[in-house]
Amino acid sequence: MSKPMYRVFRQKMIIITLLISFVPLTLLGYTIYYGFAKAYCQRVEQQMTARVTACSQSLDLFLEERKVILSAIAKSGSLSYYNDPSHLRELFETINNQTGGGLVDLGVIDSHGDHLAYVGPYSLEGFNYREQAWFNLVMAKGIYVSDVYMGFRQMPHFVIAVKAGDAAGDWILRATIDPEIFARIVTTAQTGKTGDAFIINSAGICQSPSRFNKKEILAPSGLDPSRFGSSTTVVKKNTVSGLRRVHVGKWINNGNWLLVVTQDPDENLPSFSDMKTEEITIFSLALFAIVVTTVVTTGMSVNKLQERDRELEELNAHLIQTDKMAALGKMAAGVAHEINNPLGIIATKAGWMRDLLEEEAFRNSDNFKEYDGALRKIEEHVERAGKVTHNMLGFARSMEPVMERVNINGVLKKTLEFLDHHAQINNIRINTGFDDAIPEIMSDRSQLQQVFLNIINNAVDAIEKQGTITVETAKNAETLVIDIKDTGKGIPDTVKKRIFDPFFTTKAAEKGTGLGLSITYRIIEKLGGTIRVKSRKGKGTCFTVVLPLTLSKKTIA
Amino acid sequence: MEIKVLVVDDEIDFLETIVKRLEKKGLHTVGVTSGEDALIKIKEKYYDVILLDIKMPGGMDGLDALKEIKSRQPLAEVILLTGHGTVESSVEGMRLGAFDYVLKPAKFEELCEKIAQAYMKKSDQDNKIRKANIQQLLRFPGRVFDQE
């Protein structure tokens, strides 16, 4: 996987992990919030219903109380008595004192509709009510509570009128109810910022003032009373502005008026916009923690994956290299053997010809020198070809290492001795940094010598003239590490990939067969170790050979 | 005394030439191309040194031939001719009694040197055996002869 792909993979992982973290959390939060809101609304409705019930009972009691008092007075008194304004005033004050107020005025009207006596703030004596709807209704029903109307005083009000009769005939005792005291009782049912309580009649006309929307008395309420049943009814409506409203209504005054309590059920429900700074801070911190954790853990996972992929890639490369070596080894062995035999024959034939040249007849021949020169060339090239097949067979041979106790520092010193003269000629300094504490290990001395010789010989070739080769040994927990560094020209990346391939060489044809590092690789592998190379072009190369302190079963086998 | 050498190699060109060269060096040399032929030859005559190629086609390879030769002519010294691929077989051959092995393509000088060493060893062996036989022959009860 390339680097950009890891970046995309990392981003995808982060997004998916965040989604996995947030989506269920959000859904859970929403579900809890939804359940809470629903329960809260039900609670609000229950409270509104309770308030409507309580308030309707108070209002009915208020009206009933006054109806009873007026009926009792009307039945016990006479028209002649209450026609006297002083008696009427006395009665008016007694009622207000006994009931805590509530009457605005009190009047006596005869059967013709003439207002005979009046106690109150207006001057209504002499008015005739025969044409008024309420007058005819009270005369027919005996007792009547009117809707709110303007009347002669041109002020919204409603009356309770009671028909009585005596020797002088039928008459009506009529009281006007103080709309403020009545409205005050109604408003006890409203709560909160959005709560409202008002009364409407069967036509939907407001009988008491509404808190909102400028709905004065006698203004249309906008509600359809027919939606409210005989018992306490809950009606839910959305306003034009999209707000939810719950209306709870109960019929009062013998089903003539409807007490309506209305409220926004979400009024006190907490919302995100109501969150306080501390809550926002805590929420933000939690959010930050989740994001950071996700990014860090994802980063770690992807890094781990990247590392694992790299190891796998190295392992694959190693396996491929091993397979390649094995295949080439077999091929090299076959080829070398097949070439060796003809080479042997050529060498023997050339030898035979040289033997014959030694005879006098040939020695005196004019072309003796030509024959001799040609034979020398044949022998020289047979030897050269022999070296190639020798190396090929060295690469291919499956001879098991001969294990013995080996002092690595000693092997390196011995190897460096071989090359010392060559290095001096080329003005190459050899530095050593041997760890004297490294223990002897079980390995193959001569094969290790071949390995070090190959590497150091390459280092000398890489430096050419003037430079330094540094050979260091060190001990790790379970391995010995041998570093061979040179200050040569370095290995380009394209070459580095192939340096352990058989027959790969950058040297001139007569100088290298391309088998040295292949053999090195194969030997180190057989000895249970590893070899790696680091190189920077123009700076130098470092070969690191790692050998096990103890042999694995595989190596021993 | 002429050194008798038997060369066993399936490569006829190599065999012919090496026989000629050894003859020219003054050795009595005979060449055969298989292990079976070698066994026939050693029945006919006693050889001091036998050059034996390990890798030969056919029923009997070099090691099989070596076992047979050693069982029939224990004193004949055998030098194995081997390629790199059969070095392990050569080591096995030396365990079975071969004198040494020479890597192919062998240098003629090296080959001659090995033959000389093998012959010297064989001569030593022969001398020892000869002396032991003489001693056995001259041993009588109550008498001791000077061995020199």
Side-chain angles (χ1 to χ4, degrees), chain B residues 30-87:
Chain B
V30 175
V32 289
T33 57
S34 69
E36 288 85 350
D37 290 346
L39 294 179
I40 294 167
K41 286 285 175 195
I42 60 169
K43 226 182 230 181
E44 295 167 359
K45 198 190 276 182
Y46 189 88
Y47 289 93
D48 299 306
V49 180
I50 298 167
L51 298 181
L52 180 60
D53 187 18
I54 284 190
K55 200 172 177 187
M56 285 185 295
M60 189 178 271
D61 72 356
L63 288 182
D64 293 335
L66 174 67
K67 284 179 203 164
E68 290 298 323
I69 290 166
K70 277 292 180 185
S71 66
R72 295 175 195 191
Q73 279 198 18
L75 292 177
E77 294 298 344
V78 179
I79 296 170
L80 297 166
L81 297 171
T82 178
H84 261 280
T86 51
V87 168

Side-chain angles (χ1 to χ4, degrees), chain A residues 7 26 48 103 166 207 267 285 375 380 418 424 441 450 548:
Chain A
R7 199 165 53 241
T26 312
M48 286 170 72
L103 297 188
D166 55 22
Q207 302 298 296
E267 179 189 322
L285 281 174
L375 276 176
E380 191 183 311
F418 289 142
Q424 272 179 7
I441 58 166
Q450 190 181 353

